[in-house]
Amino acid sequence: MFNHIMIGTNDIEKSKAFYEKVLKVIGVQGAVDNTLDSGIKRAFFIHDGNVLALSQPIDGEAATCANGMTIGFKCDSPEQVRELHDAAIAAGGTSIEDPPGLRESAMGSMHLCYFRDLDGHKICGLHRVS
């Protein structure tokens, strides 16, 4: 259903370095840098047909995080959920909500972690229990 998710950042190099450390946990190997003719810089993380893009705001205003928005990354195991969380915190992110672990809900059993990136975007690591 989705082609890509693009989030804004006020410091493209710091944000790129953060996501390189965090996304390495789930197998993403680096970013593709892109600079528009206008000088706006972007970084694209491409993995398994999915794209997470970081961008300086095109309108020249400060980047802000969206209230109510969460970006969820699929993890292969409960251990990878914790590793994703720990990599984010080690890279300067902020742990939020409950500690990483098993959650039961109407959506089923799943291991989750939540953290905020350097720009305040809410990120989730998720592994569904089969």
Side-chain angles (χ1 to χ4, degrees):
M1 179 189 302
F2 299 108
N3 181 67
H4 69 279
I5 296 171
M6 182 175 289
I7 58 176
T9 180
N10 293 305
D11 189 328
I12 192 76
E13 293 305 321
K14 281 179 90 173
S15 187
K16 178 182 163 191
F18 174 86
Y19 278 101
E20 283 176 336
K21 292 172 187 168
V22 173
L23 297 180
K24 183 178 181 180
V25 172
I26 58 173
V28 180
Q29 298 300 316
V32 175
D33 292 325
N34 174 262
T35 302
L36 301 178
D37 291 340
S38 63
I40 298 296
K41 294 182 179 182
R42 294 178 169 175
F44 294 89
F45 292 89
I46 303 165
H47 183 67
D48 288 343
N50 302 296
V51 178
L52 173 68
L54 310 174
S55 180
Q56 296 172 317
I58 293 174
D59 64 6
E61 299 293 322
T64 59
C65 56
N67 188 23
M69 180 203 66
T70 302
I71 298 171
F73 291 107
K74 182 180 176 184
C75 295
D76 293 329
S77 67
E79 295 78 19
Q80 194 175 52
V81 169
R82 175 162 298 282
E83 187 178 352
L84 185 77
H85 175 270
D86 293 349
I89 303 317
T94 304
S95 184
I96 59 172
E97 300 189 16
D98 294 330
L102 182 64
R103 312 285 199 289
E104 302 287 345
S105 74
M107 299 286 291
S109 299
M110 58 191 86
H111 290 264
L112 298 170
C113 72
Y114 289 95
F115 56 89
R116 292 200 183 273
D117 71 6
L118 303 178
D119 289 290
H121 299 288
K122 184 177 179 182
I123 311 297
C124 171
L126 184 149
H127 172 72
R128 293 193 184 279
V129 178
S130 46

